[in-house]
Amino acid sequence: MKIGLIGLGKMGLNLALNMRDHGQVPVGFDLAPTNLKTAATNGIATANDLAALLDQLPTPRTIWVMVPAGAATTSVINDLAAHLTSGDTVLDGGNSFYKDSVHHGAELAKHGVHFLDVGTSGGQAGARHNGNFMVGGDPAVFKTVAPLFQAIAAPDGYLYTGPVGSGHYLKMVHNGIEYGMMASIGEGFDVLQHGPYDYDNAAVAKVWNNGSVIRSWLMELAEDAFDGDANLDTIKGVMHASGEGRWTLDTALDQQVATPVIAMALMMRYRSLSDDTFTGKVVAALRNEFGGHAVEHE
Ligand SMILES: O=C(CO)[C@H](O)[C@H](O)COP(=O)(O)O
């Protein structure tokens, strides 16, 4: 099918190439001229603005939005709401908060435009080959685009998840799990690093990837990272966060569901952003006050 693709960054370009390689016809648009140029160099048809993109699509039109979650996605959806007509379909493949997706779906519905919220997993590699997609929305609308997912997903790598919001809700929880799994892998290697034995991290990740209980894509990625930098000496342990872990935790707290692993993983990310903490200063000062215990000075 011919599909408009808004956002030709790290994920969007790979998705366009994946679509093209599997019999689909993407036409891309991006606000950044360099992204447009890179897409064109890679043989993807492009449009210089939204109107030109929509002109190139047969009606009813199908448009996949692949831009950063939050303000950027909302801005694109609002533009689309103003330009699309009844019967068109918008898919949001970004990491949008599911309540935003419910709102986007309702706004587009006012114009008769269908909306599917598509949780997209597998990183840049998955966007390029064998993607993973969790799709919420009207089941009849999903059916019309199911061949697209069949074409670009891994075998059994897409799922219709229920009404609008359910795709991104599922992706949010997926990312919460991702936080916990990565934190656990990181902590395990930290204990090895500080232990009495001189392990080769890449060799450990490799052996764990071959038959062990904890073999996984994340462990394969750890193997790749250690292969390139045996003790990760060239990078700092600063762990940024885009928001999905926090949304999972906020949601769990609302539901009074205990998710200590995800909570701690999120807090460790925040902790990693500071070299020192006021908490630490206060505890050190209190130990000093009551017990005369040593404090360290700047
Ligand atoms: O969706 C993803 C992987 O599944 C993204 O890479 C995600 O944005 C990473 O989140 P964070 O920056 O919070 O680690």
Side-chain angles (χ1 to χ4, degrees):
M1 69 190 292
K2 196 165 190 181
I3 178 162
L5 184 53
I6 300 180
L8 296 166
K10 290 182 290 189
M11 293 292 287
L13 176 60
N14 278 348
L15 208 50
L17 296 171
N18 186 353
M19 289 176 186
R20 183 202 60 193
D21 290 352
H22 293 93
Q24 312 301 307
V25 186
V27 184
F29 166 60
D30 195 299
L31 285 176
T34 49
N35 286 353
L36 275 180
K37 202 171 163 196
T38 307
T41 308
N42 280 277
I44 301 297
T46 58
N48 288 329
D49 57 36
L50 184 59
L53 175 74
L54 299 185
D55 278 351
Q56 292 190 48
L57 301 175
T59 52
R61 291 167 288 210
T62 303
I63 292 129
W64 185 305
V65 179
M66 204 69 197
V67 302
T73 295
T74 299
S75 160
V76 171
I77 301 268
N78 289 344
D79 277 355
L80 288 171
H83 287 89
L84 294 180
T85 50
S86 185
D88 293 340
T89 298
V90 173
L91 299 88
D92 173 15
N95 269 334
S96 295
F97 184 44
Y98 77 99
K99 287 185 182 173
D100 290 345
S101 298
V102 172
H103 177 70
H104 293 151
E107 286 302 307
L108 289 166
K110 290 179 189 165
H111 303 265
V113 176
H114 309 302
F115 180 68
L116 298 171
D117 59 308
V118 183
T120 304
S121 184
Q124 295 172 63
R128 181 67 184 89
H129 301 286
N130 292 319
N132 182 279
F133 305 98
M134 303 150 238
V135 192
D138 183 325
V141 176
F142 170 72
K143 262 194 188 152
T144 66
V145 292
L148 171 66
F149 289 106
Q150 181 73 35
I152 63 175
D156 291 329
Y158 69 96
L159 178 71
Y160 171 71
T161 55
V164 169
S166 64
H168 281 144
Y169 188 95
L170 191 58
K171 181 63 185 353
M172 172 186 78
V173 174
H174 163 288
N175 280 24
I177 294 170
E178 184 180 291
Y179 272 55
M181 288 173 72
M182 289 198 295
S184 177
I185 291 171
E187 288 178 12
F189 277 101
D190 209 348
V191 177
L192 293 183
Q193 201 76 350
H194 287 86
Y197 304 106
D198 186 20
Y199 295 106
D200 172 337
N201 289 322
V204 169
K206 184 174 179 183
V207 74
W208 280 347
N209 274 325
N210 286 282
S212 92
V213 168
I214 57 173
R215 64 188 184 270
S216 59
W217 190 50
L218 289 173
M219 193 61 76
E220 286 171 23
L221 297 177
E223 189 181 331
D224 291 345
F226 288 131
D227 265 339
D229 184 0
N231 293 298
L232 305 183
D233 290 325
T234 60
I235 60 172
K236 293 176 87 172
V238 176
M239 304 177 280
H240 295 286
S242 311
E244 295 91 7
R246 180 177 175 165
W247 299 337
T248 311
L249 181 61
D250 283 346
T251 305
L253 290 172
D254 284 346
Q255 298 166 345
Q256 299 193 4
V257 173
T259 55
V261 171
I262 295 170
M264 293 304 282
L266 176 65
M267 286 172 197
M268 287 304 287
R269 289 208 187 187
Y270 293 162
R271 174 66 186 85
S272 79
L273 302 179
S274 315
D275 288 334
D276 199 357
T277 63
F278 200 65
T279 305
K281 287 175 191 277
V282 171
V283 172
L286 291 175
R287 288 181 76 247
N288 181 257
E289 290 291 330
F290 64 61
H293 300 297
V295 290
E296 295 193 18
H297 292 278
E298 298 278 351

